[in-house]
């Protein structure tokens, strides 16, 4: 998380599990060997704590304190957007044509 406040809010919503048990306490003690499971921005994260660390250091040092066990993110499938062909110079679309166009974009 970007800040401690955001991390606390995530925990208080019940989105974090410690060793498969949901916790809403921000003062829950974790240590070496504990597994944290959380969903952040629609992505499942699973981290195993290797060492709690002795100080607050740079991100590169912090990355060595846990093992990322998260499943790989599913590939993003992007399909080309269908479009309606109109003759050049035919003016503004009619209400009917506009509804047909809206149907194409609303089916996401």
């Amino acid at each position: 998380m970007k800040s401690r406040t955001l991390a606390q809010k995530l925990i208080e919503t019940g989105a974090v599990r410690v060793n498969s048990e949901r916790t809403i306490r921000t003062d829950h003690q974790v240590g070496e060997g504990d597994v944290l499971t959380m969903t952040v921005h629609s992505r499942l994260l699973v981290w195993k704590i290797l060492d709690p660390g002795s100080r607050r250091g740079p991100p590169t040092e912090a990355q060595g304190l846990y093992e990322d066990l998260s499943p790989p993110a599913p590939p993003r499938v992007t399909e080309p957007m269908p479009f309606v062909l109109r003759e050049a110079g035919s003016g503004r679309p009619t209400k009917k044509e506009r509804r047909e166009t809206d149907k194409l974009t609303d089916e996401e």
Side-chain angles (χ1 to χ4, degrees):
M1 300 304 303
K2 195 169 188 170
S3 69
R4 290 182 184 198
T5 304
L6 292 175
Q8 287 175 337
K9 288 180 181 179
L10 182 69
I11 293 168
E12 289 169 352
T13 62
V16 177
R17 293 177 182 263
V18 179
N19 297 327
S20 300
E21 293 186 24
R22 182 171 293 186
T23 183
I24 57 171
R25 293 182 30 232
T26 57
D27 62 344
H28 188 92
Q29 295 292 318
V30 294
E32 186 176 336
D34 286 340
V35 177
L36 303 177
T37 307
M38 65 198 97
T39 304
V40 179
H41 302 296
S42 301
R43 180 145 194 267
L44 178 66
L45 298 176
V46 182
W47 293 341
K48 180 178 181 181
I49 300 174
L50 302 176
D51 185 21
S54 59
R55 68 182 188 96
R56 196 170 166 200
T60 53
E61 186 179 310
Q63 289 173 349
L65 300 177
Y66 66 92
E67 180 182 358
D68 191 357
L69 305 173
S70 304
R76 295 181 70 184
V77 178
T78 56
E79 297 179 12
M81 203 56 186
F83 59 92
V84 178
L85 293 176
R86 290 178 40 88
E87 293 181 26
S90 62
R92 295 179 59 183
T94 63
K95 282 187 176 183
K96 181 181 177 184
E97 291 170 334
R98 179 63 186 183
R99 284 192 294 268
E100 290 172 355
T101 303
D102 287 343
K103 282 182 190 178
L104 293 174
T105 58
D106 289 341
E107 292 179 3
E108 293 179 14

